[in-house]
Amino acid sequence: MAEGDTGERDRLLVAAARRAVSETRGHAASVFLRSCDRRSLVLAASCGAPPSLLGGWRLIPVSSPIPVAVAYRSGRTVHLADADETMRRYPQLAVALPYPFGSASVPLRAEAEHFGALAVVWATEPGDQGLPRAQRRQLRATANRLGTALAELQAGGDPVECDPRTAAVEVPALGRFSVRVGLLDWEPATDQVVGDESLCTVFGLEREAFDGTFGGLTAKVVPGDLAAFRAEVRAASDGRVLSHRLRVWVDEARRRTVELWVRVSNHGPAAGEGPGTRVVGAVLDAGDGASAVAAIERLTDGVLELDTDGRLTCLNGSLERLLQVRREEVLGRRIWDVLPWLAAPTYENRFRAALVSQRTISFLACRPPDQWLAFSLHPDPSGVTGRVVPVGGPTTATPAPAAAPEAADAAFPDAAFSEAAFPDAAFPDVAPSTGLAMMYHVLQLGSALTQAVTAREVGDVVAHQLLPAFGGQQAAIYLAQSGLLHLLARTGCEEAFPLRLEGASLQARLPGTEALTSGVPLFVESPQALADRYPGIPTGESRAWVFLPLIACNRPIGTCALGFDRIHPFTIEERGALTSLGGLIAQALERARLYDEESAIARGLQDALLPHRLPSLPNIRTAARYLPGTRGMDIGGDWYDVVPAGRSVALVVGDVEGHSVAAAATMGQLRSAARAYTTAGQRPSQVVTGTNRLLVDLDSGLLASCCYLSLDARSGRVCAVRAGHCPPLLRQPEGTAEVLDLPGGPLLGVDPASAYPESPLTLRPGSILALYTDGLVEERGTGIDQGIDRLRAALAHARSGSLEALADHLLHGAERLTSRADDIALLLAEYRPTPTGEPAERSGEC
């Protein structure tokens, strides 16, 4: 395959999409591949669902909380059984596609290489459990085969990434009707016929039974039809094209109609069937299609067919009269683009709801001036058939609120309709055309901005979700402070914005400052347009720009600048969407400013309660990490401590429940108590028992867990006590790791008389202990035991070396999470005795 040629890649994608639909009960499948910069997933191929139906989901930021992106990042299948589970787990997707459907997203990968994701969608029923496990395994197998094939293409130097500017490969779902075509080459003078294999099938013959003559080929044709066709051939002049219908007997009782399209060539002395005459063409068997078209033409109700893109492919004469349109003017166009009174987004939403949910949808619409029409849309994976009948208007002129699409399988009577059957009856006669897909995408991006807590998160939404959604490559946010602009966040090439907005006065004549001071967004579609408005200003590498004023509560916040690598004519929809998002960005930044101020105070308090540095100990190396939760302003109660006590050292990790100032204050008191009891020389069980009594006496209403280990620095003997806490991990010198399933007592603060048993063990030189809080091992959708085992495996497989590097390795996955609800504390201790240390002894007690 030549460099840049994606033919083989596209063939693989199409095959996988088709297989995904056929192996599951889905009606649509989509294949997303990573972009060249690996910041986005690009829709590369679809089966059953055209890109227009997906709207803003042609380009999905890798960091977005959308199932396809999550499957790509995590390497795991995301299975959503129905709309309720979609809303619960991925509300942003439910906002953008508010229809009842189930979905599964599977990563495309080969070993450690991630190429994209495969998604399949199916219709759901109440109580549906989604795909059976066997079908999920088949879907994963299909994705794995595609991932392996993409890896082989990449190894051969062929492109596997997808350019967002290229169109996705679209494969329509198989329809009910199939067309068969046979090729014909007939010499009337000899009666010899040359044809392909389909020719015999169209005429109802077995290939072996065909004798190669026209007479044998047409043995089952109604004699009168055959005679008429021969007569036309004899009368035809050279080059004439003939069209003729032939009725073919299927058996003694049934027959069907085929169409014969041929071109007659006369090179002999005379026309007709004499020497030199050849008849070349095709025989078309349209199955039931032609009869179906004739049947709907006879109906008095209006009938239409829409493809999966919403374009009219068929309508009968009755519908022409009901809609007052001409067939040739509307075929191939979207009905809501043709008829102004169907241009409201509500009507396009009904079509999308029918196609995505695969349920019958009904609604009313008023054709000006006062003719009400009842529409019923009946979908299947290949498109939508609609029935339209005139009805009496609703009894009230008050617009009803939009309701969830409901099935309406019963046939419409030709008389009056009840208002209850069509709750969405009253709509404006004429509505401006808006892009429904764009509207839903703005809602999704707005939802993402409302969830952004810090200024950094707002910048991430702009860079990783808003920017790719509109096809941009660079973004920068500047805040207005003391009459000057200061850079807050930037993504993309620095040279893309050579406008020197950093430190620029708000009075300067620059695009970013003028947009902010005027309050009007500035859309610059080309370098020439920028030069015309601002002569002499450098353009940099970008070819189009957007400057959005960020204003919240009538106060200028700053400017958001977007850059595009190509000239970009901005549509009305894009301008409206970006203008709306500018206001949401400003509000999000204002909230983030308040959060950052209060959060800095809270984090400062928590940092003051944790050790500033760990003590230097003979024969023992230690390393610790603390990660606060990424959500919310409240601080947590996780803590760790290393307390020297003579020839031993106490290793302590604990967790006070909740996230509040009270939890942090209680944590500080417990840490101080444990440290005091330890330095006083009390045994480990006495330390934990005393700390428990203190928590009960404080009457804070909070509980806490704790893991306390006393390690003898000379002998390696350990005395461990556990109070409702996660079990510690032990890595042996040879690299194996195990979970220390130690007996323990209840949580601290439950009962002042609780007992906490001591558990002895002895470390070999080179052994590593790992103590941690549950935030490191808890993950939504999986049990804590699985999380502990994953941490054990990570500890076992980590390279030997620096303890600090090991701590970073164990926290690597947690640091990458953007929505970590709980705090994390991790304490590592390595036993490294000097040669003069006491030999390790086995002991059965502490």
Side-chain angles (χ1 to χ4, degrees):
M1 187 164 63
E3 184 177 355
D5 182 9
T6 61
E8 178 61 17
R9 185 200 70 184
D10 293 345
R11 184 191 67 78
L12 293 170
L13 302 185
V14 167
R18 282 178 168 160
R19 191 179 302 114
V21 170
S22 64
E23 289 177 345
T24 66
R25 54 189 178 90
H27 60 264
S30 304
V31 183
F32 292 83
L33 295 180
R34 69 193 184 198
S35 59
C36 295
D37 59 8
R38 304 200 179 190
R39 293 172 50 209
S40 305
L41 295 177
V42 184
L43 179 64
S46 66
C47 177
S52 61
L53 184 67
L54 298 173
W57 303 110
R58 272 213 69 238
L59 195 65
I60 299 178
V62 166
S63 61
S64 66
I66 301 300
V68 168
V70 173
Y72 170 77
R73 293 197 309 267
S74 67
R76 300 179 184 173
T77 299
V78 178
H79 177 261
L80 303 173
D82 55 19
D84 289 342
E85 186 175 5
T86 302
M87 175 60 76
R88 186 173 63 254
R89 295 177 57 190
Y90 296 95
Q92 290 190 24
L93 176 63
V95 167
L97 292 173
Y99 313 115
F101 66 92
S103 67
S105 300
V106 188
L108 302 176
R109 60 179 182 173
E111 296 180 352
E113 188 81 13
H114 290 224
F115 297 103
L118 170 65
V120 65
V121 175
W122 60 86
T124 59
E125 300 295 338
D128 201 342
Q129 299 299 312
L131 294 181
R133 291 186 179 275
Q135 291 185 347
R136 293 187 217 177
R137 286 194 295 269
Q138 289 177 325
L139 188 61
R140 284 193 290 268
T142 296
N144 290 338
R145 285 194 293 269
L146 178 57
T148 300
L150 292 174
E152 292 174 354
L153 286 181
Q154 180 175 254
D158 296 322
V160 294
E161 286 82 10
C162 190
D163 188 338
R165 295 171 294 213
T166 60
V169 181
E170 299 180 51
V171 183
L174 294 178
R176 175 185 169 189
F177 301 112
S178 59
V179 177
R180 292 180 297 183
V181 179
L183 301 180
L184 169 77
D185 187 348
W186 171 40
E187 291 186 5
T190 62
D191 203 37
Q192 294 297 306
V193 172
V194 177
D196 61 0
E197 191 169 327
S198 298
L199 184 64
C200 294
T201 305
V202 171
F203 279 103
L205 300 176
E206 295 292 338
R207 181 73 178 178
E208 295 76 12
F210 176 45
D211 61 3
T213 66
F214 189 72
L217 181 67
T218 57
K220 293 187 177 183
V221 176
V222 173
D225 293 353
L226 184 59
F229 173 68
R230 283 183 174 273
E232 285 193 52
V233 171
R234 285 192 293 270
S237 58
D238 183 41
R240 183 180 176 185
V241 177
L242 303 178
S243 173
H244 201 86
R245 288 190 174 184
L246 303 176
R247 290 171 293 175
V248 179
W249 287 103
V250 178
D251 51 36
E252 293 182 355
R254 296 180 300 142
R255 66 186 183 191
R256 55 189 170 80
T257 301
V258 301
E259 292 188 24
L260 193 59
W261 292 78
V262 298
R263 183 177 185 273
V264 180
S265 300
N266 293 318
H267 300 293
E273 297 186 7
T277 299
R278 291 185 64 187
V279 180
V280 179
V283 185
L284 175 68
D285 177 11
D288 299 333
S291 300
V293 172
I296 66 171
E297 284 295 335
R298 302 185 189 103
L299 294 175
T300 57
D301 295 345
V303 179
L304 58 87
E305 183 187 50
L306 304 172
D307 64 13
T308 53
D309 201 30
R311 299 182 184 275
L312 277 163
T313 57
C314 175
L315 71 159
N316 66 352
S318 297
L319 187 62
E320 285 187 272
R321 293 185 289 273
L322 283 174
L323 301 183
Q324 297 181 345
V325 297
R326 296 174 59 187
R327 191 173 313 198
E328 58 271 18
E329 294 175 351
V330 298
L331 283 177
R333 301 178 65 185
R334 297 185 178 94
I335 190 170
W336 48 84
D337 291 338
V338 176
L339 303 174
W341 48 277
L342 288 179
T346 305
Y347 301 117
E348 182 185 350
N349 184 53
R350 291 297 184 262
F351 163 77
R352 289 162 61 93
L355 200 59
V356 173
S357 67
Q358 291 293 290
R359 297 181 183 179
T360 298
I361 302 296
S362 304
F363 61 90
L364 291 180
C366 183
R367 189 202 72 204
D370 55 6
Q371 177 61 66
W372 287 91
L373 301 175
F375 287 74
S376 177
L377 304 181
H378 303 265
D380 76 358
S382 63
V384 173
T385 296
R387 186 173 181 225
V388 186
V389 296
V391 296
T395 58
T396 175
T398 303
E406 297 180 356
D409 296 326
F412 287 134
D414 292 333
F417 274 66
S418 67
E419 181 184 358
F422 295 94
D424 306 315
F427 296 108
D429 291 345
V430 179
S433 177
T434 60
L436 188 66
M438 181 64 72
M439 182 178 72
Y440 279 143
H441 205 53
V442 170
L443 290 175
Q444 183 267 327
L445 290 170
S447 175
L449 285 169
T450 60
Q451 295 179 30
V453 176
T454 66
R456 178 181 177 182
E457 290 179 356
V458 175
D460 287 344
V461 171
V462 172
H464 303 305
Q465 297 196 49
L466 185 149
L467 187 64
F470 290 88
Q473 288 74 40
Q474 300 88 27
I477 297 178
Y478 296 88
L479 296 184
Q481 297 175 349
S482 303
L484 303 176
L485 286 181
H486 296 284
L487 182 66
L488 170 68
R490 177 175 55 210
T491 184
C493 181
E494 182 176 359
E495 288 72 21
F497 291 109
L499 309 180
R500 301 294 179 258
L501 293 180
E502 171 63 30
S505 169
L506 296 185
Q507 307 305 317
R509 191 173 183 274
L510 293 170
T513 56
E514 289 196 345
L516 179 58
T517 54
S518 68
V520 179
L522 178 60
F523 297 88
V524 184
E525 300 182 338
S526 67
Q528 185 60 47
L530 184 68
D532 291 343
R533 184 158 183 166
Y534 301 94
I537 194 170
T539 61
E541 296 183 0
S542 293
R543 317 311 294 164
W545 302 263
V546 175
F547 298 91
L548 300 175
L550 305 180
I551 300 174
C553 302
N554 295 321
R555 189 174 74 86
I557 301 297
T559 297
C560 177
L562 307 179
F564 300 78
D565 285 349
R566 293 187 177 186
I567 293 175
H568 190 112
F570 295 98
T571 65
I572 294 177
E573 293 178 352
E574 289 177 319
R575 290 170 182 256
L578 286 168
T579 300
S580 300
L581 288 168
L584 294 176
I585 294 170
Q587 295 290 344
L589 284 173
E590 182 66 6
R591 291 195 308 272
R593 181 184 66 82
L594 296 174
Y595 170 86
D596 289 340
E597 292 177 356
E598 297 183 24
S599 179
I601 297 173
R603 296 302 179 195
L605 170 62
Q606 188 167 45
D607 290 343
L609 296 175
L610 291 172
H612 293 168
R613 61 182 180 84
L614 298 180
S616 178
L617 303 167
N619 300 338
I620 298 174
R621 293 191 297 168
T622 58
R625 295 290 186 272
Y626 174 80
L627 286 182
T630 60
R631 288 293 171 187
M633 194 179 303
D634 294 332
I635 54 179
D638 292 22
W639 91 89
Y640 63 87
D641 206 351
V642 178
V643 186
R647 57 181 281 177
S648 65
V649 60
L651 308 172
V652 191
V653 165
D655 183 3
V656 178
E657 67 173 340
H659 293 80
S660 62
V661 173
T666 301
M667 173 266 285
Q669 290 172 303
L670 297 184
R671 175 178 171 249
S672 298
R675 173 173 279 269
Y677 292 140
T678 300
T679 55
Q682 294 193 7
R683 295 185 58 80
S685 59
Q686 295 173 326
V687 172
V688 177
T689 300
T691 305
N692 173 57
R693 285 196 298 266
L694 172 66
L695 182 55
V696 173
D697 293 341
L698 290 174
D699 196 21
S700 63
L702 299 175
L703 302 177
S705 66
C706 177
C707 186
Y708 183 102
L709 274 65
S710 176
L711 171 59
D712 189 305
R714 295 182 181 178
S715 66
R717 288 193 293 268
V718 176
C719 187
V721 178
R722 195 161 63 93
H725 199 81
C726 301
L729 304 179
L730 173 62
R731 171 170 162 159
Q732 300 290 357
E734 63 271 14
T736 61
E738 60 182 301
V739 179
L740 298 178
D741 189 12
L742 308 175
L747 291 168
L748 303 178
V750 175
D751 182 359
S754 295
Y756 298 93
E758 297 179 344
S759 300
L761 65 144
T762 302
L763 302 184
R764 292 187 290 154
S767 299
I768 298 175
L769 286 167
L771 287 71
Y772 53 93
T773 55
D774 55 7
L776 183 58
V777 292
E778 284 184 333
E779 186 175 339
R780 182 186 299 175
T782 60
I784 192 170
D785 290 341
Q786 294 175 270
I788 293 175
D789 189 62
R790 281 197 298 270
L791 181 62
R792 180 203 59 77
L795 179 63
H797 297 151
R799 295 180 179 178
S800 300
S802 167
L803 208 60
E804 297 290 336
L806 176 59
D808 292 336
H809 172 74
L810 296 180
L811 287 184
H812 179 65
E815 290 176 325
R816 296 173 58 187
L817 292 177
T818 58
S819 56
R820 187 176 59 256
D822 204 358
D823 295 8
I824 294 173
L826 172 67
L827 177 61
L828 300 179
E830 183 179 15
Y831 178 53
R832 284 284 183 184
T834 60
T836 59
E838 292 183 7
E841 300 177 2
R842 296 286 178 180
S843 176
E845 58 183 32
C846 289

